[in-house]
Amino acid sequence: MAKLTIEDLDLAGKRVLMRVDFNVPVENGKITDDTRIKAALPSIQYVLKKGGKLILMSHLGRPDGKRDPALTLSPVAERLSNLLGEKVTKMQDCIDENVKKTVKRMKRGDIVVLENLRFHPEEEANDPAFAKELAGLGDVYISDAFGTVHRAHASTAGICKYLPSAMGFLVAKEVEFLGKVLKNPDRPLVAIMGGAKIKDKIPVTLNLLNLANVVIVGGAMSYTFLKAQGKAVGASLVDDKNLGKAKEIMDAAAAKKVEFLLPVDHVVAPELKEGVKTQVVKDIPDGMKGFDIGPETIQLYSAKIASAKTVVWNGPMGVFEQKEFEAGTKAIAEAMAASKALTVVGGGDSAAAVEQFGLAEKMSHVSTGGGASLEFLEGKELPGIAALTDK
């Protein structure tokens, strides 16, 4: 069912309660990466332009329902004020009397940032009374924190029972692009799966077998598949508990006539450390660990990407944070950047990689939510989207 978007609401003179994802890295009170704050700016500026009174709420880190001065949103409010060139009022709580008084006095164009929602245990518990108190601060609710819509929390799902609610620009864009992968995509569709933990990727890989023409696997999860095929993987990271699941996935791919590609060569080393001596091998010898896909695999995978009409990527091909093992992930990012296909990067480490290689701008869409994008691609209903008002 299509949901209301920010453009469907009349915001003039309204108190607009917006859930944003300001969960940014902070070291010694300084923000080290403000990408998520910038991602919320289009919705924020739209509300201000339309004469709304803007109340922003977010979580930061994991304070476990207790007040933690290291996880205050004060540095975030300050950075937002600098980015907008506007005064931003930062509250000490999210539902106390002072907040209620301040919100009552707001004028059009005013901006208030509430304190970290997770200082209250009721937020993650999706407590109805807490959700109702938050809702009491606004006239309408905008969801613009895609990274949290897979969680049924008070500020993402519970609050929607009490207010007209809509998607902000960021969430609407995520739903549009990830939706294009799931609903009649242009073919061939190539799905690239990587990263370390196979168990996190089993449900999404199984769902993508119903959609993809080609599934490409890299990263540490590939060694579990290779071992399940009886190949030599040396001392590489293998999830022995899920060898059966890996075989099941490969059998399902064969049954569905989906091309399922695993690395044919590997960049290996005895351990993961700066300046370690590496070699390229087909079969990984004992005592060696695979940390990246090799040059032949890069060629094979890049050719598949070049012939695709839709590419969705989740998880790096190797330990790209280290120079010796970045080539595979970088090559995949470059192949996608050069492609004319619809290219969707599913958050998390893959998003960090395309940023690192300066290729984010060349992708059709880079998701801001790792867990949320995975669950979306698994075909799961996301509670923070399901709860919004239907069009």
Side-chain angles (χ1 to χ4, degrees):
M1 184 69 196
K3 299 295 178 179
L4 290 181
T5 72
I6 189 168
E7 291 175 296
D8 296 320
L9 298 175
D10 172 20
L11 305 176
K14 298 268 171 65
R15 289 171 305 163
V16 181
L17 200 53
M18 191 188 293
R19 176 62 159 98
V20 285
D21 185 2
F22 286 167
N23 185 25
V24 295
V26 179
E27 282 169 31
N28 307 321
K30 292 269 175 282
I31 293 169
T32 55
D33 179 4
D34 63 3
T35 309
R36 285 180 170 173
I37 304 176
K38 287 178 171 159
L41 292 178
S43 293
I44 288 171
Q45 284 162 328
Y46 180 83
V47 172
L48 299 176
K49 193 178 92 196
K50 292 289 175 187
K53 308 165 183 180
L54 186 60
I55 303 139
L56 295 168
M57 50 183 179
S58 178
H59 76 283
L60 178 62
R62 297 192 172 161
D64 297 323
K66 293 186 282 291
R67 211 165 252 288
D68 181 348
L71 296 175
T72 172
L73 282 167
S74 296
V76 172
E78 195 178 320
R79 177 64 59 92
L80 179 64
S81 176
N82 293 337
L83 288 169
L84 290 170
E86 303 279 352
K87 179 178 178 259
V88 171
T89 304
K90 160 69 181 43
M91 306 309 301
Q92 299 306 308
D93 191 48
C94 48
I95 52 168
D96 67 4
E97 281 312 309
N98 192 28
V99 170
K100 290 170 189 165
K101 274 189 203 137
T102 305
V103 165
K104 263 205 180 88
R105 289 197 299 261
M106 286 176 80
K107 297 185 182 68
R108 290 180 181 222
D110 283 355
I111 309 160
V112 162
V113 172
L114 304 180
E115 187 49 284
N116 192 337
L117 293 161
R118 289 192 186 169
F119 286 176
H120 292 262
E122 298 86 350
E123 159 64 4
E124 290 183 87
N126 194 9
D127 178 78
F130 182 71
K132 197 173 183 180
E133 282 215 65
L134 286 173
L137 301 172
D139 301 310
V140 294
Y141 169 76
I142 308 280
S143 167
D144 213 32
F146 185 72
T148 63
V149 293
H150 60 311
R151 309 257 183 252
H153 290 169
S155 70
T156 60
I159 197 167
C160 299
K161 289 193 184 82
Y162 308 103
L163 289 173
S165 48
M167 300 187 279
F169 292 118
L170 177 71
V171 167
K173 185 173 181 241
E174 293 274 7
V175 169
E176 179 199 345
F177 278 96
L178 292 167
K180 277 180 184 168
V181 174
L182 295 180
K183 296 182 193 79
N184 57 44
D186 288 339
R187 300 191 171 279
L189 189 161
V190 173
I192 307 163
M193 302 303 292
K197 297 194 189 100
I198 186 170
K199 73 172 196 305
D200 296 351
K201 304 282 167 85
I202 290 167
V204 71
T205 308
L206 283 169
N207 195 44
L208 288 170
L209 289 180
N210 301 318
L211 299 161
N213 302 96
V214 183
V215 172
I216 286 173
V217 180
M221 65 185 270
S222 62
Y223 309 120
T224 303
F225 285 105
L226 290 164
K227 187 172 177 179
Q229 285 184 337
K231 302 260 169 65
V233 295
S236 304
L237 187 67
V238 169
D239 180 350
D240 288 308
K241 280 201 194 99
N242 280 301
L243 285 169
K245 212 57 176 160
K247 190 151 180 1
E248 193 185 305
I249 288 171
M250 292 186 284
D251 291 345
K256 291 177 198 280
K257 298 190 170 42
V258 174
E259 204 176 343
F260 195 88
L261 299 178
L262 290 165
V264 292
D265 60 345
H266 316 269
V267 181
V268 301
E271 59 181 330
L272 188 63
K273 66 168 198 206
E274 290 292 319
V276 72
K277 195 168 163 7
T278 66
Q279 57 192 103
V280 175
V281 298
K282 294 251 169 159
D283 294 308
I284 303 176
D286 290 346
M288 284 290 191
K289 299 176 182 178
F291 291 118
D292 195 12
I293 56 174
E296 258 186 68
T297 307
I298 286 175
Q299 265 189 308
L300 170 71
Y301 287 5
S302 299
K304 288 292 171 194
I305 293 166
S307 65
K309 288 275 186 358
T310 305
V311 185
V312 59
W313 179 25
N314 199 296
M317 297 292 103
V319 188
F320 71 94
E321 299 87 347
Q322 197 168 314
K323 206 83 189 129
E324 291 86 353
F325 309 113
E326 71 171 19
T329 304
K330 190 175 186 185
I332 293 296
E334 285 170 345
M336 285 175 70
S339 155
K340 290 189 165 55
L342 176 85
T343 50
V344 176
V345 180
D349 290 335
S350 329
V354 294
E355 282 291 341
Q356 180 178 312
F357 302 128
L359 296 168
E361 299 297 314
K362 299 249 165 66
M363 305 295 161
S364 310
H365 180 65
V366 179
S367 180
T368 54
S373 63
L374 264 185
E375 290 197 15
F376 196 106
L377 293 170
E378 275 171 39
K380 279 190 183 171
E381 183 176 76
L382 305 180
I385 290 175
L388 299 172
T389 310
D390 292 331
K391 262 202 185 192

